[in-house]
């Protein structure tokens, strides 16, 4: 398959506006592990043939980490600059794999003049499955033997009440879905939200990601499914810390779909 | 005799009303220390929250066993108050069981029903006492629960038991006096529970029984006045505050932080975006973020008075679970303690304090440990939002005090120079596309 990754700027030069902007996010652009999720999602978009584009070098941080760490000046600077770009390109719909970008774009940009329909990739993938564009029911024999547990991202779940979409995506894979004791509204954070990703934890008796990884490993699942770049890092580190990286994988929803579609 | 007791009753009632008004006013002024907030959005949804979450206790039922016991005490408390109305009228008018002739045949069944509730309340309170003191419920043993907080929780349960016992002994003595044909105690018919207690008091002289009945009556009503006043000094204030607090709680998604429109014009100017209209000057004493309770919103302060220290927030907090100092419950308790302190200084001009909520009560170590995961907000049965306070304190540290952790300052710098929180060059942002294309 010939992969196309159009930029919004290139389309604008032809006088076109993409139906969907894929907001990649900083982790999706720079994090070695998480870039794979970006690639998987782009492959899916290519397979489905959606009219999408990315900002590419024009994308910048949404400002979320600055805002959670208390620096609202910096947040608003970032947000305003992004809104100017997005409005300039007349973007209507944004899809992103990062729940932190999702939350900020959806809930915090409107008050600064950025009004878009913002969709998280879990919801988007569920829609694609419902429309029969990816994953044909019953065809996923390779996943029949797999046991998957889903780790809720706080910024998807409690912050935005999205609990079902990622689970629907996993159910479509036909794998066995096992819930952790603390799930959905009671899901335990991976430990990286609220700016924690960018600093060491305060003094305590345990790291949050270890507590969560232990809980995930208790389910005996062979795959910990995540839908957030921070959760990806924290859970992967946890699995390594427990020396289980040989038997347990941490994978994003998009990667699982791409894998089952053999993309 | 009757006139004297009517006068004494009226005086006690007057004193009670005086102290209650004084205390309510004190709390009202404390909450008014906060920033006023516009209440926007759907009134229907707000009333729905009051009905389902405050009155219906929907969120309590995430933990079914304490929820049922709590509901029993609550229903008992509300319904038994109908009897308190009768007691107040009797005390005021010098009557005895004024509702009895009015309700005639329904009176005994009604009182019997209240008595069943009283027994249920006693039962639930005993179980709650066991839960607090014998069973190991971790959230009742956290550092912020040492001393007064723990005592307060137990006192409330003990007082409720004593008040319920007073009702039952009053009714038992009353029925014995009725059987003896005492003219002051007209026949009402038998009461379901207290009739079982009659043998305890059987054999006493009518005068002794009279004293027992009167003592219980006075003890019960003065006890209720005292208890009501006590509640306003206690964590138990949630029985009233839960209602306004659920009404005023935010309706936007939990992930949305409170906007900060005060700085938007300045940001626009820095970016060279034209600012429409006049920029209103910053309000007097405006701070970027919150250092003290007066910088917080009134809803934040109402939250603090609503908190009943159940600790469900702390039990769900990932930072607290992993041994960090942060406890969302303590954030609420500190906010209330600080308000009380400022409130006391209001009436005493000699009190000068150099303290602030941030630093004096809540440390940076606590607020820095928060992952903003909203578990505390989700856990609260009465829609308290500790996270909102934490984030405002962080804003103060970042924008006024330059007190953010060094790694956050580095992250801010990366954002400013690279438009990403990490030290990557903006030119490399799109490298993944080449990698993907070359994979093939």
């Amino acid at each position: 398959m010939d992969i196309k990754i159009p930029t919004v700027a290139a389309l604008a030069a032809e006088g076109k506006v993409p139906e969907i902007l894929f907001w990649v996010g900083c982790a999706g652009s720079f994090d070695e592990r998480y870039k794979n999720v970006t690639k998987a999602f782009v492959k899916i978009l290519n397979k489905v043939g959606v009219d999408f584009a990315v900002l590419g070098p024009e994308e910048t941080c949404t400002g979320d980490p600055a805002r959670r760490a208390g620096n609202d000046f910096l947040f608003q600077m970032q947000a305003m600059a992004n809104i100017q770009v997005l409005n300039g390109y007349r973007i209507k719909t944004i899809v992103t794999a990062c729940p932190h970008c999702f939350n900020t774009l959806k809930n915090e940009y409107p008050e600064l003049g950025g009004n878009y329909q913002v969709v998280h990739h879990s919801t988007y993938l569920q829609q694609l499955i419902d429309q029969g564009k990816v994953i044909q029911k019953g065809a996923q024999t390779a996943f029949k033997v797999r046991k998957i547990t889903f780790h809720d991202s706080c910024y998807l779940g409690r912050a935005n009440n999205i609990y079902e979409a990622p689970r629907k995506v996993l159910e479509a894979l036909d794998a066995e879905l096992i819930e952790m004791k603390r799930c959905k509204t009671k899901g335990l954070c991976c430990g990286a939200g609220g700016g924690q990703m960018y600093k060491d934890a305060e003094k305590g008796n345990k790291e949050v990601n270890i507590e969560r990884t232990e809980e995930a490993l208790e389910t005996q699942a062979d795959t910990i499914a995540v839908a957030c770049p921070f959760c990806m890092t924290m859970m992967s580190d946890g699995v390594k810390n427990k020396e289980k990286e040989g038997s347990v994988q941490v994978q994003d929803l998009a990667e699982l779909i791409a894998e089952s579609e053999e993309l | 005799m009757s006139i004297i007791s009517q006068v004494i009753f009226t005086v006690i009632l007057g004193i009670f009303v005086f102290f209650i008004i004084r205390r309510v006013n004190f709390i009202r002024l404390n909450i008014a220390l906060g920033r006023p907030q516009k209440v926007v959005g759907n009134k229907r949804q707000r009333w729905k929250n009051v009905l389902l979450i405050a009155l219906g206790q929907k969120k309590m039922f995430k933990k079914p066993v304490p929820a049922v016991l709590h509901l029993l005490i609550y229903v008992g408390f509300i319904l038994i108050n109908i009897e308190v109305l009768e007691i107040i009228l009797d005390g005021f008018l010098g009557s005895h069981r004024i509702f009895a002739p009015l309700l005639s045949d329904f009176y005994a069944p009604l009182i019997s029903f209240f008595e069943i509730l009283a027994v249920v309340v006693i039962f639930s309170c005993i179980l709650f006492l066991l839960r607090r003191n014998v069973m190991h419920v971790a959230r009742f043993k956290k550092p912020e629960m040492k001393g007064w907080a723990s005592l307060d929780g137990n006192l409330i349960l003990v007082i409720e038991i004593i008040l319920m016992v007073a009702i039952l002994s009053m009714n038992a003595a009353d029925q014995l006096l009725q059987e003896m044909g005492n003219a002051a105690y007209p026949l009402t018919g038998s009461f379901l529970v207290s009739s079982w207690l009659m043998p305890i008091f059987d054999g006493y002289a009518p005068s002794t029984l009279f004293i027992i009945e009167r003592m219980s009556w006075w003890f019960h009503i003065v006890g209720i006045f005292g208890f009501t006043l006590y509640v306003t000094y206690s964590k138990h204030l949630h029985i009233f505050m839960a209602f306004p607090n659920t009404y005023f709680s935010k309706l936007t998604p939990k992930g949305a932080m409170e906007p900060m429109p005060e700085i938007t014009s300045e940001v626009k100017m820095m970016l060279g975006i034209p600012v429409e209209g006049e920029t209103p000057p910053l309000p007097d004493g405006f701070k970027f973020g919150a250092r003290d309770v007066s910088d917080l919103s009134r809803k934040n302060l109402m939250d603090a008075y609503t908190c009943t220290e159940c600790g469900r927030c702390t039990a769900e907090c990932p930072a607290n679970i992993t041994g960090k100092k942060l406890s969302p419950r303590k954030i609420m308790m500190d906010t209330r303690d600080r308000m009380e302190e400022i409130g006391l200084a209001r009436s005493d001009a000699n009190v000068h304090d150099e303290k602030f909520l941030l630093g004096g009560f809540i440390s940076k170590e606590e607020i820095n440990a928060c992952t903003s995961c909203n578990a505390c907000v989700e856990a609260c049965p009465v829609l308290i939002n500790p996270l909102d306070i934490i984030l405002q304190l962080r804003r103060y540290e970042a924008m006024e005090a330059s007190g953010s952790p060094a790694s956050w300052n580095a992250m801010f710098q990366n954002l400013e120079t690279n438009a990403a929180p990490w030290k990557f060059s903006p030119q490399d942002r799109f490298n993944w596309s080449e990698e993907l294309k070359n994979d093939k």
Side-chain angles (χ1 to χ4, degrees), chain B residues 94-109:
Chain B
S95 51
H96 183 75
R97 294 194 184 267
I98 192 169
F99 289 167
L102 296 174
L103 296 172
S104 72
D105 285 352
F106 290 108
Y107 187 74

Side-chain angles (χ1 to χ4, degrees), chain A residues 48 50 124-136:
Chain A
V48 177
V50 195
Y124 190 75
L125 289 171
Q126 189 212 332
Q127 287 166 2
L128 292 183
I129 292 167
D130 288 351
Q131 293 160 6
K133 290 183 180 161
V134 281
I135 308 267
Q136 265 67 49

Side-chain angles (χ1 to χ4, degrees), chain B residues 180-193:
Chain B
M180 289 170 182
N182 190 317
Y185 294 88
L187 288 175
T188 55
S190 170
F191 304 147
L192 193 66
V193 179

Side-chain angles (χ1 to χ4, degrees), chain B residues 61-130:
Chain B
F61 280 85
K62 285 192 168 186
K63 293 184 191 294
V65 176
V68 168
L69 293 175
H70 180 268
L71 186 69
L72 292 175
I73 296 182
Y74 170 74
V75 171
F77 173 83
I78 294 201
L79 293 180
I80 292 169
N81 273 337
I82 301 173
E83 199 183 358
V84 174
L85 182 68
E86 182 187 40
I87 293 177
I88 291 180
L89 285 174
D90 281 344
F92 207 55
L93 302 169
S95 51
H96 183 75
R97 294 194 184 267
I98 192 169
F99 289 167
L102 296 174
L103 296 172
S104 72
D105 285 352
F106 290 108
Y107 187 74
L110 185 68
I111 296 293
S112 299
F113 174 61
F114 291 154
E115 288 193 344
I116 294 170
L117 287 176
V119 172
V120 168
V121 169
I122 293 174
F123 169 77
S124 306
C125 286
I126 290 172
L127 286 185
F128 271 157
L129 278 171
L130 288 174

Side-chain angles (χ1 to χ4, degrees), chain B residues 128-144:
Chain B
F128 271 157
L129 278 171
L130 288 174
R131 221 166 136 262
R132 265 181 186 268
N133 300 292
V134 183
M135 287 168 62
H136 279 279
V137 181
R139 63 191 156 102
F140 294 139
K141 310 284 178 211
K142 296 276 170 182
E144 68 268 21

Side-chain angles (χ1 to χ4, degrees), chain A:
Chain A
M1 186 167 56
D2 188 24
I3 299 280
K4 289 197 179 66
I5 314 169
T7 61
V8 180
L11 291 184
E14 300 167 32
K16 287 188 207 152
V17 177
E19 201 180 300
I20 280 167
L21 169 72
F22 170 37
W23 183 276
V24 182
C26 299
S29 306
F30 295 118
D31 184 278
E32 278 309 320
R33 170 69 187 87
Y34 202 71
K35 273 196 272 185
N36 198 47
V37 176
T38 306
K39 293 170 191 170
F41 191 62
V42 167
K43 285 181 199 166
I44 296 168
L45 293 176
N46 268 271
K47 179 199 148 86
V48 177
V50 195
D51 172 21
F52 83 102
V54 295
L55 282 170
E58 280 188 284
E59 192 184 285
T60 71
C61 174
T62 59
D64 159 80
R67 179 161 239 210
R68 307 299 148 193
N71 193 337
D72 225 61
F73 266 113
L74 192 48
F75 160 70
Q76 293 198 18
M77 297 280 282
Q78 285 298 127
M80 290 284 196
N82 281 324
I83 289 168
Q84 280 200 303
V85 172
L86 293 168
N87 288 355
Y89 285 128
R90 286 174 294 149
I91 297 297
K92 297 271 181 301
T93 305
I94 304 176
V95 178
T96 179
C98 173
H100 297 263
C101 297
F102 166 71
N103 177 67
T104 302
L105 293 167
K106 172 176 166 282
N107 297 322
E108 298 177 346
Y109 274 30
E111 73 219 19
L112 298 169
N115 293 287
Y116 320 103
Q117 198 202 340
V118 187
V119 186
H120 185 255
H121 83 322
S122 57
T123 309
Y124 190 75
L125 289 171
Q126 189 212 332
Q127 287 166 2
L128 292 183
I129 292 167
D130 288 351
Q131 293 160 6
K133 290 183 180 161
V134 281
I135 308 267
Q136 265 67 49
K137 272 268 171 206
Q140 281 65 50
T141 42
F143 277 85
K144 270 246 156 72
V145 291
R146 296 208 15 202
K147 287 182 180 174
I148 304 180
T149 189
F150 178 67
H151 163 77
D152 286 281
S153 151
C154 307
Y155 275 75
L156 209 53
R158 279 184 293 268
N160 288 294
N161 277 318
I162 297 177
Y163 300 107
E164 288 312 314
R167 288 179 169 79
K168 290 261 167 66
V169 171
L170 293 172
E171 277 164 21
L173 288 173
D174 236 10
E176 189 187 343
L177 187 58
I178 318 166
E179 293 289 356
M180 287 182 252
K181 238 185 276 159
R182 288 173 283 198
C183 64
K184 299 181 184 170
T185 58
K186 289 175 90 72
L188 184 75
C189 176
C190 70
Q196 302 301 330
M197 189 70 190
Y198 310 99
K199 70 182 229 328
D200 289 329
E202 270 55 41
K203 203 165 74 62
N205 50 33
K206 202 175 193 178
E207 295 291 338
V208 178
N209 66 327
I210 302 296
E211 169 87 10
R212 186 53 164 172
T213 304
E214 284 170 359
E215 194 174 0
L217 294 178
E218 268 173 39
T219 63
Q220 304 290 328
D222 53 52
T223 304
I224 302 171
V226 295
C228 168
F230 296 167
C231 299
M232 169 73 85
T233 303
M234 298 308 270
M235 298 308 284
S236 304
D237 285 354
V239 170
K240 266 182 223 138
N241 180 284
K242 293 278 159 192
E243 297 177 348
K244 292 280 184 215
E245 65 266 45
S247 53
V248 178
Q249 313 178 51
V250 183
Q251 282 182 293
D252 185 88
L253 298 177
E255 291 176 316
L256 290 165
I257 299 282
E259 188 184 325
S260 90
E261 295 282 293
E262 291 170 2
L263 293 174

